[in-house]
Amino acid sequence: MEVKKQLTASSYVISGITYKITPFAAMNAVAVMGTLTALLVPVLQIAVPAVKGVMDKKGTLDVDAVEKNITLDNLGDAIRGLSGDQMVRLFNDLLLKYGNVIFLDKEKGNELTQLDIDTFNELFCQNLGAAVNLCIKVISLNYSNFFDGFGIQFGDLMQAVKVKTRSPVMASLT
C-alpha cells in the first residue's frame, strides 16, 4: 500500500532543533487558509500597488524596484489592523491545533515529541523568529502549489511574474 501524503513528514532544522512536519488534511488546510487570508489581505494591499509599474518589457518583475515602492508608512498600515489574537490563532492553527509538528527532543534522548503549547512556549521563548520560520515551513509545505492551476485560467499572466533580482533585504524576508 502506498504511504499517504498526510503521513509523510518533511524534516527541517530551525535554531538547531529538528522538526518534522506532516501536511494538513485537505479540509484542515482549507480552514487554515481562512486564517491566513485574514492576515495576508493587509500585506497584499501594500504589495499589489508596489508591484504596479515595475515589470520590464520582457514581463519580469524587478524585486528591487518593488522594495523601493514599499515605505514604512505602507508597512505600518498593513500591520496596524493585525491583532495579537489573530496572530495567536494563526500560530495555533499552523503549529499546534492539527498535530502536524513534532520535534526531536534532545532532553529526552532525541525522542519524537508532539509540539504543544508548553513546548512551544519553552522552545520559542526569546526566539519568536524561529517560530515564524517554522510557520513559514508549514505554509510552504501546505500551500506552495496553490497558484499552479491559475496559469490555465490566466494564460501567460502567471508566467509574466518572474523574479528578476533578489536583494539581501527581500531574501531575508523569505
Side-chain angles (χ1 to χ4, degrees), residues 10 12 14 21-24 29 32-33 35-37 39-40 87 89-91 93-95 100-101 131-147 173:
S10 297
Y12 302 97
I14 299 171
I21 304 168
T22 53
F24 294 130
V32 174
M33 180 61 106
T35 305
L36 279 170
T37 302
L39 294 172
L40 290 177
M87 297 302 292
R89 180 173 178 201
L90 178 65
F91 276 66
D93 283 2
L94 289 172
L95 304 178
N100 57 309
V101 180
V132 170
N133 284 334
L134 187 58
C135 285
I136 290 168
K137 298 296 185 191
V138 171
I139 292 167
S140 176
L141 177 68
N142 285 282
Y143 303 103
S144 64
N145 66 348
F146 182 75
F147 292 101
L173 295 175

Side-chain angles (χ1 to χ4, degrees), residues 46 50 66-78:
I46 65 164
V66 171
E67 184 180 336
K68 290 175 187 170
N69 286 343
I70 298 174
T71 66
L72 287 177
D73 289 337
N74 297 132
L75 289 172
D77 290 342

Side-chain angles (χ1 to χ4, degrees), residues 92-160:
N92 184 55
D93 283 2
L94 289 172
L95 304 178
L96 304 173
K97 184 176 183 178
Y98 299 104
N100 57 309
V101 180
I102 57 177
F103 68 100
L104 294 177
D105 192 339
K106 292 178 183 177
E107 292 180 7
K108 295 182 180 178
N110 285 332
E111 176 182 316
L112 288 174
T113 303
Q114 183 70 47
L115 187 63
D116 60 20
I117 189 65
D118 292 329
T119 54
F120 176 91
N121 286 332
E122 183 60 30
L123 290 173
F124 302 114
C125 180
Q126 297 183 314
N127 194 6
L128 198 54
V132 170
N133 284 334
L134 187 58
C135 285
I136 290 168
K137 298 296 185 191
V138 171
I139 292 167
S140 176
L141 177 68
N142 285 282
Y143 303 103
S144 64
N145 66 348
F146 182 75
F147 292 101
D148 286 357
F150 285 97
I152 296 167
Q153 287 82 6
F154 297 107
D156 290 335
L157 178 61
M158 297 306 285
Q159 286 292 16

